Amino acid sequence: MTTELTIRRPDDWHLHLRDGAMLEGVIGDTSRHFARAIIMPNLVPPVVTTADASAYRDRILAALPKGDRFEPLMTLYLTEHTDPDDVEAGYESGLIRAVKLYPAGATTNSHGGVRDMDKAMPVLERMAKIGLTLCVHGEVTTPEVDIFDREAVFIETVLDPLRNRLPELRVTMEHVTTKNGVDYIKAAKANLAGSITTHHLIINRNAILVGGIRPHYYCLPVAKREEHRLALRAAATSGDARFFLGTDSAPHVDPLKECACGCAGIYTSINTMSCLAHVFEQDSALDKLEAFASLNGPAWYGLPINEETIRLVKRTAPVAFPAKIETGAGPVTVFDPMFPLHWDVV
């Protein structure tokens, strides 16, 4: 039985750090384990220009705990007015690693997102030409579509037509939550990959609803049926290079989660590696954990693999994680996988 594992230092290919006091309160949980992370741009106001991204990067680096080595990989928030020249300049400078598509109203701070894809085509055409990746929040927001069907309908009505129109455009389907998404990525011949979150490997929609409404398991895209969770697990633990870790760790203070209209988001940065080791061990795939967490993402984004390593050790007694972390913005509840975690990062 494996009780110790050394892997290349992992990266997080989908992360929310927020800003201000919240940023200062959560950044250390990522920089402790992860070398790099794709930083989401849905601040208020959003990160829409290269200048915005540069200023945000400076704030992230200023908030890093002393001695931590961490590289924020910056993204831009796609709007119907995004300047293709600014995007290309940011990409050529090395600052901008991706552009994020939020369908308007799909998730936190997405009201300024895209409503008419035709209006975003000049930017997308430029991105296809220069090789810059489009990261998509893959859900439609039309009210007649059931929330559990949003991803499947997005693939059919938005993503597939876009990829047929611009086959050379590189697309990351972020936080894939359905078997539909997994199968669509597997069927693609080129230019498509997907990130998978920690929590979608562990919870299905029962976690939110059984025994009462449990807001700390509510996220967007919302967790789906068990068959979809199992498809995600199979993809993540397969070693397939098209799938990699994007935690979508998304801190909200407890008062904004525990209210009549609670925010979507689950905070997993602090215990993701312990959770993943548990999942991969359960599926007899510990030998594939390094590919999912440390190798596939850099290959997709054209970056070198981290030289540093981390060591995971399986403890006899469960590893203790705090139920909450305290930030200058308020308390944030930590993801509870609902089973004891024995794998520890040392």
Side-chain angles (χ1 to χ4, degrees):
M1 183 177 69
T2 302
T3 59
E4 190 170 320
L5 187 67
T6 299
I7 65 172
R8 296 293 185 110
R9 194 175 175 202
D11 301 302
D12 185 347
W13 299 98
H14 183 124
L15 177 67
H16 297 271
L17 285 175
R18 312 305 189 201
D19 212 347
M22 181 65 83
L23 165 63
E24 294 170 1
V26 302
I27 180 66
D29 287 342
T30 289
S31 63
R32 189 177 305 117
H33 297 157
F34 297 91
R36 298 169 293 205
I38 288 273
I39 308 300
M40 292 296 104
N42 58 331
L43 304 181
V44 180
V47 178
V48 295
T49 67
T50 296
D52 294 339
S54 180
Y56 186 27
R57 183 178 186 274
D58 289 345
R59 298 196 297 277
I60 293 168
L61 293 175
L64 273 179
K66 188 175 181 181
D68 279 11
R69 294 181 297 279
F70 174 75
E71 182 182 2
L73 305 173
M74 308 310 294
T75 65
L76 295 178
Y77 184 113
L78 182 65
T79 75
E80 294 173 3
H81 309 289
T82 297
D83 180 0
D85 291 338
D86 180 64
V87 170
E88 182 169 2
Y91 174 65
E92 294 297 337
S93 74
L95 175 67
I96 302 304
R97 298 292 183 175
V99 174
K100 179 63 181 279
L101 167 63
Y102 289 103
T107 189
T108 302
N109 299 335
S110 64
H111 51 274
V114 175
R115 298 179 187 277
D116 183 347
M117 288 296 292
D118 284 340
K119 293 181 179 177
M121 285 308 296
V123 181
L124 298 174
E125 289 167 353
R126 183 73 63 88
M127 290 170 59
K129 180 180 178 181
I130 64 179
L132 180 58
T133 299
L134 177 70
C135 294
V136 299
H137 181 114
E139 294 188 289
V140 296
T141 57
T142 45
E144 62 270 18
V145 177
D146 188 288
I147 191 169
F148 294 104
D149 298 330
R150 283 178 166 189
E151 184 169 291
V153 174
F154 179 87
I155 293 169
E156 180 182 347
T157 63
V158 180
L159 184 56
D160 198 54
L162 173 63
R163 294 184 61 248
N164 285 329
R165 185 172 176 179
L166 279 179
E168 65 274 29
L169 180 66
R170 293 170 51 81
V171 177
T172 303
M173 281 187 67
E174 300 206 281
H175 43 51
V176 179
T177 61
T178 62
K179 184 178 185 297
N180 311 71
V182 168
D183 290 346
Y184 185 70
I185 292 167
K186 286 181 176 179
K189 292 184 171 60
N191 293 333
L192 184 64
S195 69
I196 301 175
T197 78
T198 312
H199 50 278
H200 284 115
L201 293 173
I202 294 170
I203 65 169
N204 60 30
R205 63 191 190 179
N206 286 357
I208 313 167
L209 299 169
V210 172
I213 295 174
R214 296 192 280 177
H216 295 291
Y217 294 111
Y218 172 59
C219 57
L220 286 173
V222 69
K224 308 296 195 299
R225 290 180 180 272
E226 178 67 358
E227 66 179 303
H228 297 295
R229 186 186 74 88
L230 294 177
L232 297 174
R233 295 253 306 215
T237 60
S238 68
D240 189 323
R242 293 169 292 187
F243 298 99
F244 42 80
L245 174 64
T247 66
D248 194 16
S249 184
H252 291 286
V253 295
D254 286 351
L256 295 181
K257 291 286 291 179
E258 301 166 356
C259 61
C261 188
C263 292
I266 297 177
Y267 186 66
T268 58
S269 290
I270 192 170
N271 60 2
T272 272
M273 293 311 300
S274 295
C275 289
L276 289 179
H278 180 100
V279 166
F280 277 68
E281 182 184 39
Q282 272 192 325
D283 288 12
S284 302
L286 276 173
D287 60 322
K288 303 293 197 306
L289 177 57
E290 183 177 51
F292 181 69
S294 311
L295 306 181
N296 296 347
W300 170 247
Y301 282 99
L303 294 170
I305 297 165
N306 296 313
E307 293 295 329
E308 294 178 297
T309 60
I310 64 168
R311 188 161 59 98
L312 294 121
V313 175
K314 190 175 185 181
R315 308 293 189 190
T316 303
V319 181
F321 289 98
K324 301 177 186 291
I325 63 166
E326 295 296 332
T327 76
V332 174
T333 292
V334 172
F335 174 62
D336 176 5
M338 297 178 284
F339 48 71
L341 294 169
H342 290 268
W343 286 93
D344 192 13
V345 180
V346 294

